[in-house]
Amino acid sequence: MTIKDTAEEWQVTASRTPFVGNKTSVRTDDVVMPDGTVAHRDYQVHPGSVAVLALDDAGRVLVIRQYRHPVRQKLWEIPAGLLDVPGENPLHAAQRELYEEAHVKAEDWRVLTDVYTTPGGCDEAVRVFLARDLSEAEGERFEVSEEEADMELARVPLAELVRGVLAGELHNNCLVVGVLSLAAALGGDGVDVLRSAEVAWPARPFEV
């Protein structure tokens, strides 16, 4: 048996949007279940995101520390951000986020993994990139505000991040997924067999 997620869409008899926010909204669908009953399903509608695991020549990962109000914690994360424009090329968005949050550019980009963050309650899809051959970006630094004005940057050995994830000390989902995926790739066939940075993404279609 092939273990692979497949596209499927159950019948929706009604849909409404009780809340619309700045970037996301909440939708309520009436979904027909396999036994014919109808169930209400509330979920957050999200534009999608990208995240960047930036790995330097010394085997260190670029991480940032940022306050996250919903969980009342400062979390160590990897650079990430929303797909601001429908149909936006996720590679371009990832390059933008790496520049804005870390003032870094990369010459080698690959797709590390694609995930749904919380598919039981949100349709957010995230593409996590691996970026290598890093260097300082040119030009002025991006002007940050709000929570980002308090961000800290660090470069941490991959092994230390893996240890922190397994010890329950690091909790950001993109960092956890990215770090463990990279460790698995390095322990397997290597990163050179990872998918192209421009590979299709059915969850958030885009034009190259």
Side-chain angles (χ1 to χ4, degrees), residues 88-201:
E88 181 179 16
N89 186 316
L91 174 59
H92 298 166
Q95 291 169 332
R96 179 185 68 237
E97 294 301 329
L98 184 61
Y99 164 75
E100 291 182 356
E101 296 191 352
H103 201 66
V104 166
K105 64 180 181 179
E107 299 302 323
D108 186 274
W109 290 83
R110 298 171 191 270
V111 172
L112 191 53
T113 190
D114 298 322
V115 296
Y116 292 114
T117 55
T118 48
C122 179
D123 71 352
E124 181 184 13
V126 180
R127 170 156 280 186
V128 183
F129 288 90
L130 172 64
R132 295 183 297 170
D133 193 5
L134 310 181
S135 61
E136 191 80 4
E138 300 172 355
E140 296 293 325
R141 285 187 173 271
F142 182 77
E143 187 174 344
V144 296
S145 61
E146 300 177 342
E147 289 93 342
E148 292 183 348
D150 188 50
M151 285 195 312
E152 303 170 46
L153 277 76
R155 296 195 182 201
V156 181
L158 177 64
E160 175 59 19
L161 294 176
V162 171
R163 185 208 63 77
V165 168
L166 298 180
E169 298 169 358
L170 300 170
H171 308 90
N172 175 264
N173 60 349
C174 290
L175 182 144
V176 171
V177 169
V179 162
L180 297 185
S181 294
L182 178 57
L186 292 172
D189 295 329
V191 297
D192 290 334
V193 301
L194 292 173
R195 290 173 293 160
S196 161
E198 299 278 9
V199 69
W201 189 16

Side-chain angles (χ1 to χ4, degrees), residues 25-134:
S25 60
V26 173
R27 182 178 297 161
T28 299
D29 289 343
D30 296 343
V31 186
V32 179
M33 298 289 110
D35 64 359
T37 60
V38 176
H40 303 300
R41 291 291 176 262
D42 302 320
Y43 59 98
Q44 182 185 21
V45 179
H46 194 285
S49 306
V50 292
V52 185
L53 195 150
L55 185 70
D56 68 16
D57 293 339
R60 300 174 303 175
V61 176
L62 193 157
V63 292
I64 59 178
R65 189 170 183 242
Q66 185 173 353
Y67 176 66
R68 294 300 187 182
H69 185 71
V71 295
R72 309 304 199 270
Q73 289 192 17
K74 272 193 169 182
L75 301 180
W76 284 104
E77 308 178 352
I78 57 177
L82 298 176
L83 292 169
D84 292 331
V85 180
E88 181 179 16
N89 186 316
L91 174 59
H92 298 166
Q95 291 169 332
R96 179 185 68 237
E97 294 301 329
L98 184 61
Y99 164 75
E100 291 182 356
E101 296 191 352
H103 201 66
V104 166
K105 64 180 181 179
E107 299 302 323
D108 186 274
W109 290 83
R110 298 171 191 270
V111 172
L112 191 53
T113 190
D114 298 322
V115 296
Y116 292 114
T117 55
T118 48
C122 179
D123 71 352
E124 181 184 13
V126 180
R127 170 156 280 186
V128 183
F129 288 90
L130 172 64
R132 295 183 297 170
D133 193 5
L134 310 181

